[in-house]
Amino acid sequence: MNKEKIENIIKIYAGSLIIFLFMIIISDVRNETEIYTSEKQNSENHQIIPVKYISYLNGQVKSLNQENSGGTKSETPLKEKIITDNEIVTKIETSIQDLLVIPTKTEETKQEIPVKETISFDTINKSARESLVNVLCTTESSGYFNPISGSGIIIDKKGVILTNAHIAQYFLLRDYIKKDFVTCSIRMGSPSQPLYKAEPLYISEEWITNNYQNITQQNYSENGESDYAFLLITETINNENKLLNEFPRTDYDTEENTIEVGANVLLAGYPAGFLGGITIQKDLNITTTIKQIKKLYTFSEQTLDLISLGGSVLAQKGSSGGAVVNNQNKLIGLIVTTTESKLTQERDLRAITLTHINRSLQKEIGLNIKNFLSFNLLAISKSFTEIKAPILKSLLIKALEK
């Protein structure tokens, strides 16, 4: 056998080997494609889908993935019932991104949940209005940031207010530049009247750490994760008046299985998006409305963290920290973000759940809400002011002086 024949044989074997390997690769690709298709179908059956990405700055909506409507019940539209002293409609802050939709409960799952007696929304509306507060923070001189007006809700008879961290962060800057540079007051009623002063009990360290750089930004994106804070009413604005022995409050519910798509809830807040500074200080009114829960969201796993409430008169600035109350007259959510659109009815208002707040607090300090509020609250406030607050304040100052 000469050299030329040997080379031809080698070429034939080499060509056969290449064809064989190519067939194996094609087979593997086909198998992987089948597996991916199967997994995708399973995912769609469970309705685990990315939520739309909303760009707040330019108002454009970009879909990361088409939402799957198969297998879900169509919702019966509920005409919005507004119970309001001020019908001004405006716009709010922030956006939401990269969340997963939690599947709605099946009929079988629903049957496992005991049915509780409901309370009329007229009664719930009256109760929510009595425990709702407006948090107004102003500066001695303008230039660093605009006055902040937000909402909050009293959840404990000792005067504990639950609100957003992006509102409560201004309490940390009270003596920035000079003493009492920032003044925050707690106002109640409709129109709101300045009644109390408050001190931070706890402001989410996780939220401040992740968002402190945005304090100078009027428009920025954040998804509302860990955006919560507890304030304690400590004294009256008018020192001649005494603090109440028991404050009006709205009880809270941290259970996940009490929240479901389609349930009616009462929303309450102090929207102020189109109002000027003087109007906010002298004629800011409570707005309440009844809406349906549209979707349930999770920030990471199959935990119930965020609820979608659709378009609403409350989808505007000033409503942050407002209440979402179920038909048991229990606080189940804290208004935190909205999508962007010209009309409030076209937006999607979102609220973090009390379940999420409870879980986040446990993660950050090792106590759930109930245990946290069972301690000496003045001592907790003093401890936070002396230990945690200086660290968080330094981050905010770093952003302000950048």
Side-chain angles (χ1 to χ4, degrees):
M1 186 179 293
N2 58 35
K3 183 178 179 180
E4 185 178 349
K5 288 184 178 180
I6 293 174
E7 287 177 351
N8 288 336
I9 292 172
I10 292 174
K11 288 179 180 179
I12 292 171
Y13 274 100
S16 300
L17 181 60
I18 290 172
I19 293 172
F20 177 73
L21 291 175
F22 179 76
M23 293 300 293
I24 291 175
I25 291 171
I26 290 295
S27 176
D28 286 343
V29 170
R30 186 181 296 112
N31 289 337
E32 289 295 327
T33 302
E34 291 173 356
I35 291 170
Y36 169 76
T37 303
S38 174
E39 288 177 346
K40 183 178 179 182
Q41 289 173 347
N42 289 336
S43 176
E44 290 176 346
N45 290 337
H46 285 84
Q47 302 170 4
I48 306 297
I49 53 178
V51 74
K52 291 177 180 178
Y53 175 82
I54 295 92
S55 172
Y56 177 81
L57 297 178
N58 58 28
Q60 295 178 345
V61 178
K62 300 176 182 179
S63 179
L64 294 178
N65 192 13
Q66 294 295 325
E67 292 189 0
N68 171 46
S69 59
T72 59
K73 289 186 177 181
S74 60
E75 296 174 357
T76 302
L78 176 70
K79 185 176 181 181
E80 182 171 11
K81 177 185 177 184
I82 301 173
I83 314 166
T84 177
D85 296 306
N86 177 5
E87 297 185 355
I88 299 232
V89 180
T90 100
K91 63 189 239 185
I92 194 178
E93 55 252 281
T94 71
S95 64
I96 218 78
Q97 56 187 351
D98 296 339
L99 302 180
L100 294 176
V101 175
I102 295 178
T104 56
K105 297 182 178 71
T106 63
E107 291 300 324
E108 182 179 350
T109 305
K110 288 181 181 179
Q111 292 173 3
E112 296 174 359
I113 302 171
V115 178
K116 297 180 181 179
E117 184 178 351
T118 60
I119 299 172
S120 76
F121 275 105
D122 286 339
T123 301
I124 295 169
N125 176 57
K126 183 173 184 256
S127 172
R129 284 170 171 261
E130 289 175 350
S131 54
L132 193 73
V133 305
N134 168 240
V135 182
L136 181 65
C137 296
T138 59
T139 59
E140 191 175 87
S141 60
S142 60
Y144 288 92
F145 36 76
N146 295 323
I148 302 300
S149 179
S151 304
I153 186 82
I154 299 175
I155 61 168
D156 186 274
K157 65 182 181 180
K158 290 173 281 189
V160 177
I161 299 167
L162 180 61
T163 187
N164 293 138
H166 74 256
I167 298 169
Q169 64 181 334
Y170 293 94
F171 281 79
L172 300 173
L173 297 171
R174 177 169 55 193
D175 296 328
Y176 175 57
I177 297 183
K178 64 179 183 177
K179 185 174 175 58
D180 295 328
F181 176 75
V182 177
T183 302
C184 295
S185 61
I186 305 301
R187 311 196 304 171
M188 299 184 74
S190 193
S192 61
Q193 300 295 323
L195 298 179
Y196 304 110
K197 296 179 182 179
E199 296 290 338
L201 270 178
Y202 186 77
I203 303 173
S204 173
E205 185 175 1
E206 181 174 343
W207 188 90
I208 295 287
T209 302
N210 293 333
N211 296 277
Y212 71 90
Q213 67 276 10
N214 295 321
I215 192 169
T216 58
Q217 305 297 317
Q218 291 188 8
N219 299 326
Y220 63 91
S221 299
E222 60 106 355
N223 62 15
E225 185 172 6
S226 298
D227 193 355
Y228 68 92
F230 297 89
L231 305 174
L232 177 65
I233 295 174
T234 54
E235 58 181 300
T236 60
I237 296 290
N238 184 348
N239 291 328
E240 295 179 1
N241 297 329
K242 293 183 178 180
L243 286 177
L244 298 175
N245 291 327
E246 288 192 10
F247 285 87
R249 70 188 186 278
T250 296
D251 291 333
Y252 56 89
D253 186 351
T254 59
E255 296 296 323
E256 285 193 0
N257 63 5
T258 58
I259 302 176
E260 58 183 35
V261 171
N264 291 344
V265 289
L266 181 104
L267 312 182
Y270 281 93
F274 280 160
L275 302 181
I278 294 176
T279 305
I280 289 173
Q281 294 194 45
K282 293 188 175 182
D283 195 27
L284 182 63
N285 292 278
I286 296 173
T287 297
T288 55
T289 182
I290 299 171
K291 297 295 290 183
Q292 282 185 340
I293 295 175
K294 301 297 183 183
K295 288 182 181 179
L296 310 178
Y297 292 107
T298 181
F299 288 126
S300 55
E301 302 171 354
Q302 289 300 301
T303 53
L304 180 49
D305 298 312
L306 192 84
I307 53 180
S308 162
L309 300 160
S312 169
V313 67
L314 282 147
Q316 53 176 299
K317 287 183 178 179
S319 297
S320 291
V324 180
V325 186
N326 68 10
N327 60 8
Q328 309 294 317
N329 200 18
K330 296 291 181 67
L331 182 72
I332 61 169
L334 194 69
I335 294 173
V336 65
T337 63
T338 185
T339 60
E340 177 68 2
S341 182
K342 291 182 178 179
L343 301 177
T344 56
Q345 294 301 323
E346 295 176 354
R347 300 171 187 172
D348 187 17
L349 186 65
R350 276 112 183 232
I352 51 175
T353 63
L354 266 289
T355 303
H356 171 70
I357 295 172
N358 198 51
R359 188 166 45 247
S360 297
L361 185 66
Q362 178 81 45
K363 176 184 175 183
E364 290 191 36
I365 67 172
L367 295 172
N368 60 27
I369 298 174
K370 183 178 179 180
N371 291 336
F372 175 64
L373 299 182
S374 68
F375 288 94
N376 183 318
L377 298 181
L378 286 174
I380 290 177
S381 177
K382 185 174 184 294
S383 175
F384 177 82
T385 300
E386 293 177 351
I387 300 172
K388 288 288 185 182
I391 299 171
L392 302 180
K393 177 182 177 180
S394 67
L395 292 175
L396 297 175
I397 292 176
K398 177 182 177 182
L400 287 170
E401 297 181 349
K402 185 183 296 183

